[in-house]
Amino acid sequence: MGKVFSHMTMSLDGFIADPRDGTGELFDWYDAGEVAVPSADPRWSFHVDENSAGLLRGILANTGALVCGRRLFDHTNGWGGSHPVGAPVVVVTHRTPPDAADWKTTTFAGGVAEGIATARDIAGGKDVTIASANIASQALDLGLVDEVCVSLVPVLLGEGIPYFATLTGAPHRFDDPEIIPGKRATHLRYVVRK
């Protein structure tokens, strides 16, 4: 069975976006190198260093489903029906959109536990990636996360949307990180202690 992990790009002071959902230079590492890594959607391709390319290739190859919240889904317009990771998307929401049937690769779930369970079924033994900070926090509190990945970018935002906030089950503990140095980002992978 695949693992459930969250992966976010984060500033040194813990934010994944500015207060207006802008990512600005947080995502510069996706275009900071010479190695091309095509995504599953031809609209997006990454140009990163070799170490970051290995990380991205692993995520793209091993993800069988992606879980996000309604806010991110709306902000990205559902990635036009095709997320760059190339896997079906499970949206955790209490407000299923009226056009839900039109989203052929998207499933809507009413809660985090249901969303993760649905994603595990869809993934068919591959990994499940959590792509929303709020969903990642709730899933961690529920004991549903196996690994936390952080692509740490050398910038301080000062304020914004934190990667983990309002944790009710803290403290959460992790094993020592696997550290992958990259250009414009240091990638950290932490196995969650259960």
Side-chain angles (χ1 to χ4, degrees):
M1 176 179 280
K3 66 186 170 207
V4 175
F5 72 98
S6 68
H7 176 241
M8 298 280 185
T9 297
M10 183 179 81
S11 66
L12 287 176
D13 51 352
F15 299 109
I16 60 160
D18 67 27
R20 294 163 302 287
D21 276 331
T23 53
E25 61 191 289
L26 286 176
F27 285 0
D28 284 355
W29 72 272
Y30 284 112
D31 198 33
E34 303 297 322
V35 181
V37 179
S39 77
D41 187 312
R43 294 176 291 171
W44 293 289
S45 184
F46 310 110
H47 294 87
V48 296
D49 61 275
E50 190 59 51
N51 289 341
S52 297
L55 173 84
L56 288 175
R57 287 184 189 120
I59 291 172
L60 291 168
N62 297 319
T63 298
L66 181 132
V67 178
C68 71
R70 178 67 188 270
R71 187 169 152 273
L72 179 61
F73 180 78
D74 289 347
H75 183 71
T76 63
N77 192 30
W79 298 277
S82 179
H83 189 279
V85 81
V89 174
V90 176
V91 180
V92 176
T93 182
H94 299 295
R95 301 175 294 112
T96 302
D99 65 345
D102 296 339
W103 293 94
K104 301 301 181 203
T105 61
T106 303
T107 303
F108 297 90
V112 173
E114 176 190 345
I116 298 292
T118 299
R120 277 191 176 278
D121 287 343
I122 291 170
K126 292 181 87 175
D127 293 344
V128 171
T129 303
I130 302 172
S132 292
N134 186 291
I135 303 304
S137 291
Q138 292 179 60
L140 190 61
D141 277 338
L142 291 169
L144 301 174
V145 178
D146 301 309
E147 185 176 281
V148 171
C149 299
V150 178
S151 291
L152 191 61
V153 176
V155 64
L156 297 170
L157 294 181
E159 62 179 339
I161 299 167
Y163 191 171
F164 288 103
T166 63
L167 290 166
T168 60
H172 294 285
R173 292 177 176 78
F174 308 93
D175 289 341
D176 292 334
E178 173 189 351
I179 302 168
I180 303 167
K183 187 173 182 182
R184 301 304 309 149
T186 301
H187 311 288
L188 307 168
R189 300 182 89 142
Y190 296 92
V191 171
V192 178
R193 289 186 183 171
K194 301 234 177 175

